[in-house]
Coordinates of all heavy atoms in Angstrom, one line a residue:
L22 N 15.2 -8.9 28.4 CA 15.6 -9.9 27.3 C 16.6 -11.0 27.8 O 16.5 -12.1 27.5 CB 16.1 -9.1 26.1 CG 15.0 -8.2 25.4 CD1 15.5 -7.1 24.4 CD2 13.9 -9.1 24.7
R23 N 17.6 -10.4 28.5 CA 18.6 -11.4 29.0 C 18.0 -12.3 30.0 O 18.5 -13.5 30.0 CB 19.8 -10.5 29.6 CG 20.6 -9.9 28.4 CD 21.9 -9.1 29.0 NE 22.6 -8.5 27.8 CZ 23.3 -7.5 27.7 NH1 23.5 -6.9 28.8 NH2 23.9 -7.1 26.7
T24 N 17.1 -11.9 30.7 CA 16.5 -12.9 31.7 C 15.8 -14.0 30.8 O 15.6 -15.1 31.4 CB 15.3 -12.0 32.5 OG1 16.1 -11.1 33.3 CG2 14.6 -13.0 33.4
R25 N 15.3 -13.6 29.8 CA 14.6 -14.6 28.8 C 15.5 -15.5 28.0 O 15.2 -16.2 27.2 CB 13.5 -13.9 27.9 CG 12.3 -13.4 28.6 CD 11.5 -12.5 27.8 NE 11.0 -13.1 26.5 CZ 9.7 -13.4 26.3 NH1 8.9 -13.2 27.2 NH2 9.3 -14.0 25.2
G26 N 16.9 -15.3 28.4 CA 18.0 -16.0 27.7 C 18.3 -15.5 26.3 O 18.8 -16.3 25.4
I27 N 18.0 -14.2 26.0 CA 18.2 -13.6 24.7 C 19.5 -12.9 24.7 O 19.8 -12.1 25.7 CB 17.0 -12.7 24.3 CG1 15.9 -13.7 24.0 CG2 17.4 -11.9 23.0 CD1 14.5 -12.9 23.8
D28 N 20.4 -13.1 23.8 CA 21.7 -12.3 23.5 C 21.3 -11.0 23.0 O 20.6 -10.8 22.0 CB 22.5 -13.1 22.6 CG 23.9 -12.8 22.8 OD1 24.4 -11.9 23.5 OD2 24.7 -13.3 21.9
V29 N 21.8 -9.9 23.7 CA 21.3 -8.5 23.3 C 22.7 -7.8 23.1 O 23.7 -7.7 23.8 CB 20.6 -7.8 24.3 CG1 20.2 -6.4 23.8 CG2 19.5 -8.6 24.8
V30 N 22.7 -7.1 21.8 CA 23.8 -6.3 21.4 C 23.4 -4.8 21.5 O 22.3 -4.4 20.9 CB 24.4 -6.6 20.0 CG1 25.6 -5.7 19.9 CG2 24.8 -8.0 20.0
N31 N 24.2 -4.0 22.3 CA 23.7 -2.5 22.4 C 24.3 -1.6 21.3 O 25.5 -1.4 21.4 CB 24.2 -2.1 23.8 CG 23.8 -0.7 24.2 OD1 23.1 0.0 23.5 ND2 24.5 0.0 25.1
Y32 N 23.6 -1.0 20.5 CA 24.0 -0.1 19.5 C 23.6 1.4 19.9 O 23.7 2.2 18.9 CB 23.4 -0.4 18.2 CG 23.9 -1.8 17.7 CD1 23.1 -2.9 17.8 CD2 25.2 -2.1 17.0 CE1 23.5 -4.1 17.3 CE2 25.6 -3.2 16.6 CZ 24.8 -4.2 16.8 OH 25.2 -5.5 16.4
G33 N 23.0 1.5 21.1 CA 22.5 2.9 21.5 C 23.4 3.7 22.3 O 24.6 3.2 22.7
T34 N 23.0 4.9 22.6 CA 23.8 5.7 23.5 C 23.5 5.3 25.0 O 22.4 4.8 25.2 CB 23.5 7.2 23.3 OG1 24.4 8.0 24.2 CG2 22.1 7.6 23.6
D35 N 24.4 5.5 25.8 CA 24.3 5.3 27.3 C 24.1 6.4 28.2 O 24.2 6.2 29.4 CB 25.2 4.2 27.6 CG 25.2 2.9 27.0 OD1 24.0 2.4 27.0 OD2 26.1 2.4 26.4
T36 N 24.0 7.6 27.7 CA 23.9 8.7 28.7 C 22.7 9.6 28.1 O 22.2 9.4 27.0 CB 25.3 9.6 28.5 OG1 25.2 10.4 27.3 CG2 26.5 8.8 28.5
L37 N 22.3 10.6 29.0 CA 21.3 11.4 28.8 C 21.7 12.6 27.9 O 20.8 13.5 27.6 CB 20.5 11.9 30.1 CG 20.1 10.7 30.8 CD1 19.4 11.2 32.1 CD2 19.0 9.8 30.1
Q38 N 22.9 12.8 27.6 CA 23.4 13.8 26.7 C 22.6 13.8 25.3 O 22.6 12.7 24.8 CB 25.0 13.7 26.5 CG 25.4 14.9 25.7 CD 27.0 14.8 25.6 OE1 27.6 14.2 26.4 NE2 27.5 15.3 24.5
S39 N 22.2 14.9 24.9 CA 21.4 14.9 23.6 C 22.3 14.4 22.4 O 23.4 14.8 22.2 CB 20.9 16.3 23.3 OG 20.3 16.3 22.0
V40 N 21.7 13.5 21.7 CA 22.5 13.0 20.5 C 21.5 12.9 19.3 O 20.4 13.3 19.4 CB 22.9 11.5 20.7 CG1 24.0 11.5 21.9 CG2 21.6 10.6 21.2
D41 N 22.0 12.5 18.2 CA 21.2 12.4 16.9 C 20.7 11.1 16.6 O 21.7 10.3 16.3 CB 22.0 13.1 15.7 CG 22.5 14.6 15.9 OD1 21.8 15.2 16.7 OD2 23.5 14.8 15.4
Y42 N 19.5 10.7 16.7 CA 19.0 9.3 16.4 C 19.4 8.6 15.2 O 19.7 7.5 15.2 CB 17.4 9.4 16.6 CG 16.7 10.2 15.6 CD1 16.5 9.8 14.4 CD2 16.2 11.5 16.0 CE1 15.9 10.7 13.4 CE2 15.6 12.3 14.9 CZ 15.4 11.9 13.8 OH 14.8 12.7 12.9
P43 N 19.7 9.4 14.1 CA 20.2 8.6 13.0 C 21.4 7.9 13.1 O 21.7 6.9 12.5 CB 20.2 9.8 11.8 CG 19.3 10.7 12.2 CD 19.4 10.8 13.8
D44 N 22.3 8.5 13.9 CA 23.7 7.8 14.1 C 23.5 6.5 14.6 O 24.3 5.5 14.4 CB 24.6 8.7 15.1 CG 24.8 10.1 14.5 OD1 24.8 10.3 13.3 OD2 25.1 11.0 15.3
F45 N 22.5 6.3 15.5 CA 22.3 4.9 16.1 C 21.4 4.0 15.2 O 21.6 2.9 15.3 CB 21.6 5.3 17.6 CG 22.7 6.0 18.4 CD1 22.5 7.5 18.5 CD2 23.8 5.4 18.9 CE1 23.4 8.2 19.0 CE2 24.7 6.4 19.7 CZ 24.5 7.7 19.7
A46 N 20.4 4.6 14.7 CA 19.6 3.9 13.8 C 20.3 3.1 12.7 O 20.2 2.1 12.3 CB 18.5 4.8 13.2
H47 N 21.3 3.9 12.1 CA 22.0 3.4 11.0 C 22.9 2.2 11.4 O 23.2 1.3 10.8 CB 22.9 4.4 10.3 CG 22.2 5.5 9.5 ND1 21.2 4.9 8.6 CD2 22.2 6.7 9.5 CE1 20.7 6.1 7.9 NE2 21.3 7.2 8.6
R48 N 23.4 2.4 12.6 CA 24.3 1.3 13.2 C 23.5 0.0 13.4 O 24.0 -1.0 13.1 CB 25.0 1.6 14.6 CG 25.9 2.8 14.5 CD 26.4 3.2 15.9 NE 27.0 2.1 16.7 CZ 27.3 2.0 18.0 NH1 26.9 3.2 18.8 NH2 27.9 1.1 18.6
L49 N 22.3 0.1 13.9 CA 21.4 -1.0 14.2 C 21.0 -1.6 12.9 O 21.1 -2.8 12.7 CB 20.2 -0.7 15.0 CG 19.1 -1.8 15.1 CD1 19.8 -3.0 16.0 CD2 18.0 -1.3 15.8
A50 N 20.6 -0.8 11.9 CA 20.1 -1.3 10.7 C 21.2 -2.0 9.9 O 21.1 -3.1 9.3 CB 19.7 -0.1 9.8
S51 N 22.4 -1.5 9.9 CA 23.6 -2.2 9.3 C 23.9 -3.5 9.9 O 24.2 -4.6 9.2 CB 24.8 -1.3 9.4 OG 24.6 -0.1 8.7

Side-chain angles (χ1 to χ4, degrees):
L22 291 165
R23 287 182 176 153
T24 298
R25 287 170 64 109
I27 294 169
D28 195 3
V29 186
V30 183
N31 177 20
Y32 297 98
T34 185
D35 292 312
T36 77
L37 299 181
Q38 185 180 334
S39 181
V40 292
D41 300 334
Y42 57 80
D44 296 338
F45 302 93
H47 288 309
R48 289 176 64 196
L49 175 63
S51 297

